[in-house]
Amino acid sequence: MSELPKLPKVYAAISMPLEGMNRLRKLCQVTVHEGNQDPTRQEFLDGARGMDALIVCPKTMTVDKELLDTAGSQLKVIVTHSVGLDHIDIDLCKERGVKVGHTPDVLTTATAEQGVALLMATARRIQECIRAVKDGVWGTVWDNAMWLAGKEIAGSVIGIVGLGRIGLAIAKRLAAFDVSKILYTGRNLRPESADPIGAEFVTFDQLLEQSDFVVVACSVNDSNKGLFDEAAFKKMKNTAILVNISRGVVVDQDALYNALKSGEIGAAGLDVTTPEPLPTSSPLLTLPNCLVTPHIATCTVTTRNAMCELIVDNILAGLEGRSLKTPAFL
Ligand code: NDP
Ligand code: DGY
């Protein structure tokens, strides 16, 4: 009797929508991390051991020498449930001949919408409004015409740090609010993105000084870890609002706390923090002018399904020795 062909082994460190996973299960032996917590480092290493392909995500799943050594030399492909690649040692994967895929584009709309949602929610102090209603404060301060007064987007200066796919998608949406100006900064001028929306390239300092809303949408690299430090907050307007949908490491959180508490800046809306999850004891959570969401920007049904399909396409391509649909490098 001839031996049945062995199915390639895939470890998914994150559980994904059933439809996409079922497509993968028809062709691979899939092990999905169980439980409602992210895998611990040890569980992640154990899960990766002996696998042909890995599905990872940025939260706690660092792909480094230890992980690649533990997985073994049969590992062909790693696909991350993210566009961001800051948790993956790309050079080492290249060196080892392990293909890496990610999920650009399909998540741009959802992430941009969350960026705009955070900006509007902080501008109009939605967190404080909800609290005031729940606490029965509503009605007791009616004669104060400035009670919970917010900030208008119309007429404001928007500063985008990182005019990539998501930064541009946010800028385009905000342009519809009749803003007075859109500024952007980065390592390079991006006229192909900036010119159609009339966005102006400025230095980081100029952006801080002039913007009413500063939206952080850059990818993370050595040039921007801790970019928003005490000195940066001092350069911002006292009424400015910071929105971060990039990565927590771009912001020095102690400096942010001080800036928000002292009125150096007006408010912050963060989808990303350091660490994640942000401990409930974090001083940031005591501030009425700081709104934090749990790294949820891509989480719409449409986008999560699209990410899953793209991940499966990439995994199958990598296992079959074909080019990935959305490779992190060529
Ligand atoms: P892109 O590669 O299209 O854009 C990244 C942008 O970052 C580029 O325009 C780049 O410009 C800019 N950048 C890099 N370094 C700096 C710097 N020092 N200062 C200013 N800008 C900089 O990526 P996406 O737009 O698709 O995604 C951006 C990031 O958003 C991801 O890498 C990820 O970290 C984060 N993200 C977060 C999500 C969430 O759930 N909160 C969801 C999806 C993405 P230049 O090269 O000119 O510097
Ligand atoms: C990304 O795509 O980089 C997000 O952070 C994933 O959740």
Side-chain angles (χ1 to χ4, degrees), residues 21-252:
M21 288 306 273
N22 285 343
R23 185 155 68 91
L24 193 62
R25 281 203 170 94
K26 284 190 187 132
L27 298 164
C28 306
Q29 193 184 321
V30 184
T31 308
V32 181
H33 168 68
E34 284 178 4
N36 50 14
Q37 304 259 318
D38 288 340
T40 61
R41 176 71 181 170
Q42 194 54 52
E43 287 170 337
F44 183 44
L45 292 172
D46 290 345
R49 189 170 286 117
M51 293 288 148
D52 300 297
L54 302 177
I55 298 171
V56 306
C57 82
K59 289 198 235 159
T60 48
M61 300 162 203
T62 306
V63 175
D64 54 10
K65 182 172 181 307
E66 182 187 33
L67 186 273
L68 294 179
D69 287 347
T70 307
S73 58
Q74 79 299 326
L75 180 68
K76 291 189 178 61
V77 57
I78 299 173
V79 184
T80 180
H81 185 265
S82 65
V83 62
L85 293 163
D86 43 295
H87 53 302
I88 301 179
D89 187 335
I90 293 291
D91 289 340
L92 193 62
C93 290
K94 261 189 212 170
E95 200 182 299
R96 302 256 177 124
V98 176
K99 290 180 176 170
V100 178
H102 66 149
T103 59
D105 299 313
V106 294
L107 46 61
T108 297
T109 295
T111 309
E113 288 182 1
Q114 177 79 356
V116 174
L118 279 172
L119 187 145
M120 293 183 73
T122 43
R124 297 308 295 268
R125 304 172 62 176
I126 297 296
Q127 176 165 251
E128 290 167 84
C129 290
I130 294 170
R131 174 60 46 216
V133 174
K134 287 190 172 167
D135 289 352
V137 178
W138 186 15
T140 63
V141 285
W142 193 241
D143 58 345
N144 180 354
M146 297 306 276
W147 183 52
L148 290 176
K151 187 176 168 70
E152 273 174 36
I153 303 169
S156 67
V157 176
I158 305 288
I160 308 276
V161 179
L163 197 69
R165 287 169 289 238
I166 294 167
L168 178 62
I170 292 174
K172 281 182 177 168
R173 282 155 180 77
L174 293 177
F177 282 82
D178 293 332
V179 298
S180 79
K181 224 194 269 186
I182 298 178
L183 308 175
Y184 76 102
T185 194
R187 294 165 301 178
N188 304 289
L189 267 82
R190 302 206 165 252
E192 69 293 350
S193 301
D195 292 353
I197 56 165
E200 193 186 315
F201 183 84
V202 290
T203 64
F204 180 59
D205 283 359
Q206 286 169 332
L207 183 137
L208 296 179
E209 285 156 13
Q210 295 177 38
S211 300
D212 298 299
F213 295 92
V214 175
V215 182
V216 189
C218 52
S219 49
V220 168
N221 50 64
D222 289 339
S223 72
N224 55 20
K225 289 186 183 143
L227 186 66
F228 283 83
D229 57 9
E230 190 185 339
F233 292 123
K234 279 199 194 317
K235 288 175 192 141
M236 289 171 68
K237 295 182 184 179
N238 294 145
T239 52
I241 289 180
L242 175 77
V243 171
N244 187 9
I245 58 88
S246 158
R247 285 289 183 265
V249 289
V250 177
V251 174
D252 173 338

